[in-house]
Amino acid sequence: MGNKNGWYRNVGSFLTVTAVISGFNPVIASANISSSDFSMRDKVVSLTGIMELTNNTGIVTRGEFAKMLVKASSFRENLPKSDSSVFKDVPAQNPNAEYIKIAASQGLMTGYLGGVFKPENNITYRESVKAVLTLLGYKDEDFTGNITSSRISKFQFLELNENLNLTTDENLTQTDCVNLFYNLLKTKKKDSSEIYGKVLNCELNSDGEINPISILKDERKGPLLVRKGFSVIQSVPFGSEKANVFLNGAASTLAAVKESQKSNGFVVIYYNVKSKTIWAYTTDGWDKDTLTGENAYVLILGEVKNIYYKSTDVITPTSIRLEIDSSNSDSDISSSENVDSNGYLSINLDSSKLQYLFSIYGKVTVGDKVVMVCSKNGTTYTAVDAIDY
């Protein structure tokens, strides 16, 4: 082999995630919030799976709000399957029946006299205040005097009304619900120092706002290696409609990914279900400048030639040596400073997951062909993921 061996691909996870977030068209929510701020709020609420904004001014029904409440809670992990109906006007076939049943049983919402729920009635500010405070752990006995006024006072004290300007019996729009649930996510639970959003893997930035990038990172799945002749979209648990697609770090299409997959023989993908995003990587078309600098991410295909251990620990591997596959070489890459005269590249193993994978107990052994996802710091490569080829 010469100086130009193997293939590399910049994963660019942070920049790619940022592109996903900034790629959405801003929506002007109200006079007291900028379109960029609301776009961020909408993205957070969408990524957590609480709701999708389809009509800014669309009025939300009680049935729809019950679904949002359950989606914003830990109860969403165990939805009951039942053919029975709790309310006379909510048959089991109602698409929100399961959510209404949970919302009612947990005291988040209540029905009306006569055993009805009125799922098509519009949700009011009064009802939403009670529901959100209940999610935070507040009970009726926490309020005195006029209970509605007392609840609203607590609601405002907790700043749950940020970017909301509603009267007691006013109906909520979808935009109102985005603001309401975003405010809920960053509010501390009753008698706790932990924000409510922790239950949905949210965390706060230093400015006190929810970080949507952390949600994407937590929810990103992969890597998956999809060979030529197999469908990329059928490899992920969502359809092609409204899918966000990135190829080698740049916004792209499924058609372009398929074409690149065909010409290169395979494609490596990561995906996020909530944002319906696919990040695809192949052996050409990457930005060469991204290979330099600390913590650049690259993909490397090759055969495992050696697995190294510390002299004091013969169980836990510390690095591998990979023979770069010249058949998938990119002619523009010069790796003379990294690859030795035999065409071998050393890659460090720092994570427990990968140390186990390459140990005597794992699945990968000398002679196996693998695709390595690595971080690159100067001339040092450290494994982040590994895929059987």
Side-chain angles (χ1 to χ4, degrees):
M1 294 184 183
N3 290 335
K4 299 174 180 178
N5 298 287
W7 61 270
Y8 303 71
R9 178 73 56 248
N10 172 34
V11 176
S13 57
F14 176 81
L15 294 178
T16 303
V17 169
T18 304
V20 173
I21 294 167
S22 61
F24 284 81
N25 293 327
V27 182
I28 297 176
S30 62
N32 61 341
I33 181 172
S34 70
S35 60
S36 59
D37 285 346
F38 183 77
S39 181
M40 183 271 291
R41 285 168 162 256
D42 179 33
K43 178 49 54 186
V44 166
V45 172
S46 172
L47 287 174
T48 52
I50 296 172
M51 63 170 288
E52 292 289 341
L53 181 67
T54 59
N55 181 353
N56 293 0
T57 58
I59 301 298
V60 176
T61 67
R62 280 169 50 84
E64 292 167 341
F65 193 73
K67 181 177 181 179
M68 295 176 192
L69 287 171
V70 176
K71 290 277 192 177
S73 74
S74 58
F75 299 112
R76 68 181 186 173
E77 304 297 335
N78 298 291
L79 291 177
K81 298 293 182 182
S82 175
D83 293 331
S84 61
S85 175
V86 176
F87 297 98
K88 292 191 296 186
D89 58 346
V90 185
Q93 296 74 30
N94 186 301
N96 294 320
E98 294 170 348
Y99 302 105
I100 291 171
K101 184 175 183 178
I102 294 176
S105 66
Q106 298 302 316
L108 302 175
M109 298 181 71
T110 57
Y112 294 88
L113 292 175
V116 296
F117 186 79
K118 300 184 180 180
E120 299 306 318
N121 278 19
N122 299 331
I123 190 70
T124 65
Y125 183 54
R126 179 202 306 263
E127 294 170 318
S128 69
V129 166
K130 177 186 183 298
V132 166
L133 288 174
T134 302
L135 282 176
L136 288 170
Y138 292 93
K139 302 181 183 301
D140 287 350
E141 52 265 32
D142 293 317
F143 307 101
T144 58
N146 184 309
I147 195 167
T148 297
S149 297
S150 183
R151 283 196 187 112
I152 290 177
S153 294
K154 172 61 74 172
F155 191 83
Q156 293 172 341
F157 175 79
L158 296 173
E159 298 184 350
L160 286 160
N161 64 326
E162 184 179 357
N163 298 311
L164 292 171
N165 186 21
L166 299 166
T167 58
T168 304
D169 291 311
E170 192 169 350
N171 299 139
L172 272 66
T173 65
Q174 288 188 25
T175 295
D176 293 328
C177 287
V178 167
N179 285 318
L180 175 68
F181 284 104
Y182 179 84
N183 295 341
L184 167 68
L185 292 174
K186 66 176 186 173
T187 300
K188 292 179 181 178
K189 294 182 285 186
K190 180 189 174 186
D191 300 328
S192 173
S193 60
E194 186 176 89
I195 63 167
Y196 180 84
K198 196 74 174 178
V199 72
L200 301 180
N201 300 316
C202 295
E203 60 184 49
L204 295 180
N205 283 327
S206 58
D207 62 359
E209 302 298 331
I210 300 290
N211 184 352
I213 294 173
S214 66
I215 302 172
L216 279 169
K217 285 181 177 179
D218 286 342
E219 297 295 333
R220 196 165 91 155
K221 308 298 182 183
L224 300 177
L225 190 146
V226 186
R227 298 180 184 275
K228 180 172 63 176
F230 291 87
S231 169
V232 168
I233 196 63
Q234 290 182 5
S235 301
V236 299
F238 53 85
S240 59
E241 184 180 358
K242 296 183 179 180
N244 304 296
V245 181
F246 291 83
L247 176 59
N248 301 327
S252 189
T253 64
L254 283 170
V257 171
K258 183 177 180 180
E259 186 62 32
S260 189
Q261 176 192 24
K262 181 179 179 180
S263 62
N264 291 283
F266 62 91
V267 63
V268 173
I269 65 170
Y270 290 82
Y271 64 90
N272 182 291
V273 176
K274 290 177 180 176
S275 64
K276 296 182 174 61
T277 301
I278 298 171
W279 295 270
Y281 303 94
T282 57
T283 62
D284 59 11
W286 54 276
D287 181 356
K288 304 171 188 60
D289 292 337
T290 59
L291 284 182
T292 61
E294 294 187 359
N295 299 320
Y297 279 75
V298 297
L299 299 182
I300 307 171
L301 171 65
E303 180 183 325
V304 179
K305 303 305 289 187
N306 305 96
I307 300 175
Y308 295 101
Y309 298 79
K310 286 183 179 179
S311 59
T312 55
D313 184 355
V314 296
I315 301 297
T316 305
T318 57
S319 65
I320 62 171
R321 203 158 63 131
L322 206 68
E323 181 179 14
I324 306 302
D325 188 341
S326 61
S327 66
N328 282 284
S329 173
D330 190 305
S331 60
D332 291 328
I333 298 178
S334 176
S335 52
S336 58
E337 82 277 23
N338 303 315
V339 179
D340 65 21
S341 59
N342 294 316
Y344 297 169
L345 175 69
S346 293
I347 300 173
N348 295 328
L349 304 174
D350 287 351
S351 75
S352 298
K353 178 183 72 173
L354 289 169
Q355 287 172 346
Y356 178 83
L357 184 66
F358 286 91
S359 74
I360 58 175
Y361 303 105
K363 297 192 302 181
V364 181
T365 61
V366 170
D368 287 346
K369 206 167 187 179
V370 293
V371 177
M372 302 295 298
V373 181
C374 301
S375 64
K376 180 176 183 288
N377 189 346
T379 60
T380 301
Y381 290 82
T382 301
V384 175
D385 271 314
I387 321 167
D388 291 332
Y389 182 69

